[in-house]
Amino acid sequence: MILRWFAGSVAMVALVSGCGFDNGSPSSSDSTGRPGKAQEEKPPRDKKLDQALPGEVQTQWWKWAAGTPRGRNPVEDKTGVHCAAGQSEFIWNLAGTFGGSVKRRCTMPSQTLVVPVVNLLGSESDCSAFMAAASGRWTLDGVTQPVQRWKGSPITVEGVEGNPVTDTSGPTSGYACGLWGFLAQRRLAPGKHTISIRGSSGDFHTSVDYDLTVTTAKAPNSP
């Protein structure tokens, strides 16, 4: 899920991801009440995401989600044809939706998986309200997986022109929060898998089912 509240207008970006960490001190706010520009964090480079800071993981995910324009953005993708767009060498990101249900078919390499159950990029108060109502779960091959609950972390991400996530090119600053899941590479053996994601906060609901085929080699990025 992606919810975005920026520049005095309401445009929510709510996508799918799950219990535990609070981190990050608040950034300063300008006269409009928007978060000030946070120091950009480098994405985690290894596969131990359970040891990474919430701000690091969320920064890399939002950067990925905002890194592809409309027409081939994985978040708006209805079938999974664009699931490989912008993926990195170390981490494979799954996408939620802008609300509603989708079923996606995707081929991916055997690498660490990041799963947004339900998440938000907005102001500090937005995150507080969002997380108070956030709930969700995700399963791998029918087995419920652990969920991390991450409250607001100040982040800054760069979006490409025409992306439907931040809806703007260049840097966007705000607080990232949500429910997140991870799957280490060693737990995602080559072969066929199913992943189901269900998330909600208030009136927002998202549902994604993935049919994954995991290979031993890295899949090429979408053009």
Side-chain angles (χ1 to χ4, degrees):
M1 160 176 169
I2 301 175
L3 298 176
R4 40 170 211 274
W5 278 273
F6 298 128
S9 63
V10 179
M12 281 180 126
V13 188
L15 302 169
V16 297
S17 196
C19 263
F21 303 116
D22 265 344
N23 87 307
S25 56
S27 64
S28 60
S29 298
D30 61 21
S31 59
T32 67
R34 293 176 295 172
K37 184 174 182 179
Q39 182 178 358
E40 188 169 359
E41 296 176 83
K42 296 180 180 179
R45 292 182 57 84
D46 62 21
K47 301 178 179 61
K48 298 179 180 179
L49 289 186
D50 57 342
Q51 298 176 13
L53 294 175
E56 293 178 325
V57 176
Q58 293 181 100
T59 295
Q60 75 82 25
W61 187 91
W62 283 97
K63 181 179 179 180
W64 168 77
T68 310
R70 288 181 178 85
R72 56 189 183 92
N73 187 281
V75 178
E76 64 180 6
D77 185 5
K78 300 298 185 183
T79 66
V81 65
H82 301 300
C83 69
Q87 300 288 2
S88 73
E89 180 181 356
F90 303 100
I91 294 167
W92 191 274
N93 298 286
L94 295 187
T97 72
F98 292 108
S101 302
V102 297
K103 293 183 178 181
R104 296 174 178 144
R105 189 179 301 274
C106 183
T107 297
M108 62 168 287
S110 179
Q111 60 189 61
T112 296
L113 199 66
V114 172
V115 182
V117 176
V118 64
N119 58 333
L120 168 79
L121 179 60
S123 71
E124 187 176 17
S125 60
D126 294 335
C127 269
S128 178
F130 179 79
M131 293 304 295
S135 64
R137 67 187 186 94
W138 72 285
T139 65
L140 170 67
D141 298 330
V143 179
T144 299
Q145 302 298 311
V147 171
Q148 304 292 326
R149 179 180 290 272
W150 284 347
K151 298 182 180 180
S153 298
I155 69 170
T156 296
V157 296
E158 290 277 344
V160 301
E161 184 175 357
N163 85 82
V165 175
T166 63
D167 205 29
T168 185
S169 61
T172 295
S173 296
Y175 281 77
C177 53
L179 307 181
W180 293 87
F182 311 105
L183 199 63
Q185 181 182 23
R186 65 183 180 275
R187 295 192 56 208
L188 200 59
K192 294 187 178 299
H193 300 276
T194 59
I195 289 181
S196 294
I197 306 167
R198 304 290 185 268
S200 66
S201 181
D203 294 333
F204 180 87
H205 299 271
T206 185
S207 170
V208 183
D209 292 313
Y210 276 95
D211 288 331
L212 293 180
T213 298
V214 179
T215 66
T216 56
K218 186 179 186 301
N221 287 352
S222 295

